[in-house]
Amino acid sequence: MDWIPSITTTSLLGVAIWLGKNAVLERLKRSIQHEFNEKLENLRADIREKENQIEALRSGALSGVQHRQAALYDRRLQATEDIWSAVNSMAGAKNISAMMATIKFDAAAKEAAQNEQFREIFKVMGGAFDVKKLDLSGASKSRPYISHLAWAYYSAYQSIVMHAVIQMEMLKAGLNKDFSKTEEITKLVKVALPHQEEYIEKHGLSACHYLLEELESKLLTQIENILNGVEADQESLEKAAEILKEADSLMEANEKSTQEM
């Protein structure tokens, strides 16, 4: 029976070792699990921090875009006000256009060249308007912020009324020479309002004045499109380019004519 204590001791030792081993393994597992959880939490914290940074960047970028869009809209709003204000400031020139639409310019220019009293009539007729006081600089500054077609209709409108002003100035000065580029102005209006070509062909230069209201209406439509964020299509861009080509050519010719006067 001497072996019994030995077995018991051995068994107890084995159990102790097994328990100790399990305890070590359990502590090791807990240590590893704790370390893993700690790293996982740190990783989650890093991810949350990066998400917050990304969200902050996104919010900042979005805020910047919204701010720029708001600023651009405000500038476009101001531009539409400036362009329409310029149209209103040309009311005096529009009145002269109405007068000139009823006058046969060639005959009037011939008479004005040799009759001072006749010239005085036009000085009285155009006396309320001083072209030197006409300030259209606000409209020029608005050009980058309005549509090409809006600027084209404005340019056509301006060309018509300023053409009439030039003719009035020639009659007041008694110049029997037409510096006013009549053919160019009718061509411009035909390009701006192609559906009115037959009317222009029938009534000639005087027809241009009676189409000013239609140009105003088209300009207002373009202003409305700008305020509503309606983008111009390819057809509109091509039409605008065609009108502006004629308008720029006419304005250049008018400036040269004014210098010659």
Side-chain angles (χ1 to χ4, degrees):
M1 299 297 290
D2 295 337
W3 52 273
I4 292 177
S6 178
I7 291 175
T8 301
T9 302
T10 302
S11 298
L12 291 173
L13 182 60
V15 170
I17 292 173
W18 181 79
L19 290 174
K21 180 180 179 181
N22 283 347
V24 171
L25 289 174
E26 187 63 29
R27 284 197 299 271
L28 184 60
K29 286 180 180 179
R30 285 198 297 270
S31 177
I32 292 173
Q33 184 66 40
H34 176 73
E35 185 178 355
F36 175 78
N37 289 340
E38 194 175 61
K39 289 183 177 179
L40 182 61
E41 186 58 34
N42 290 336
L43 179 60
R44 286 173 177 168
D46 288 341
I47 291 174
R48 284 195 296 270
E49 183 179 356
K50 286 183 172 57
E51 286 178 343
N52 291 336
Q53 291 174 353
I54 292 172
E55 182 61 28
L57 289 173
R58 183 184 292 115
S59 299
L62 182 60
S63 176
V65 170
Q66 291 174 336
H67 177 73
R68 287 193 295 273
Q69 287 178 337
L72 179 59
Y73 181 81
D74 288 343
R75 188 61 188 86
R76 284 177 174 172
L77 178 61
Q78 183 61 51
T80 58
E81 292 176 355
D82 290 342
I83 204 77
W84 191 246
S85 177
V87 171
N88 290 330
S89 70
M90 287 187 282
K94 185 179 180 181
N95 289 335
I96 290 178
S97 178
M99 297 176 195
M100 296 306 302
T102 63
I103 295 172
K104 293 182 178 180
F105 178 78
D106 290 339
K110 184 177 181 179
E111 180 65 24
Q114 56 191 7
N115 188 335
E116 185 175 352
Q117 291 183 336
F118 190 69
R119 293 196 295 272
E120 288 298 322
I121 295 174
F122 294 103
K123 290 179 181 179
V124 173
M125 289 174 62
F129 176 76
D130 186 355
V131 67
K132 295 179 180 179
K133 294 181 179 180
L134 184 61
D135 183 9
L136 302 178
S137 59
S140 298
K141 293 177 182 178
S142 72
R143 183 172 183 176
Y145 302 99
I146 64 173
S147 68
H148 294 291
L149 197 51
W151 181 257
Y153 286 132
Y154 167 77
S155 298
Y157 184 96
Q158 180 186 10
S159 297
I160 292 173
V161 297
M162 295 311 294
H163 172 270
V165 169
I166 290 174
Q167 285 193 323
M168 177 66 78
E169 291 300 316
M170 288 191 291
L171 292 177
K172 286 161 65 175
L175 298 176
N176 188 17
K177 183 178 180 181
D178 194 351
F179 293 99
S180 60
K181 310 298 178 184
T182 299
E183 184 177 345
E184 286 84 349
I185 191 70
T186 53
K187 182 179 179 182
L188 168 61
V189 180
K190 287 176 185 177
V191 172
L193 304 173
H195 60 286
Q196 297 287 7
E197 183 172 357
E198 184 177 348
Y199 175 75
I200 296 169
E201 288 289 345
K202 181 178 180 180
H203 298 283
L205 179 62
S206 62
C208 295
H209 168 75
Y210 299 104
L211 296 176
L212 287 174
E213 297 293 335
E214 185 173 353
L215 285 173
E216 284 185 17
S217 178
K218 287 187 175 294
L219 176 55
L220 283 172
T221 297
Q222 291 305 309
I223 288 176
E224 183 179 353
N225 288 342
I226 294 169
L227 297 179
N228 291 333
V230 178
E231 296 295 333
D233 55 21
Q234 186 62 33
E235 183 180 355
S236 296
L237 291 175
E238 291 175 357
K239 182 177 180 63
E242 191 176 1
I243 296 172
L244 287 173
K245 179 182 178 182
E246 298 298 333
D248 290 343
S249 176
L250 178 61
M251 291 300 290
E252 184 179 345
N254 282 339
E255 288 178 5
K256 186 179 296 184
S257 296
T258 303
Q259 292 173 359
E260 292 177 359
M261 291 168 59

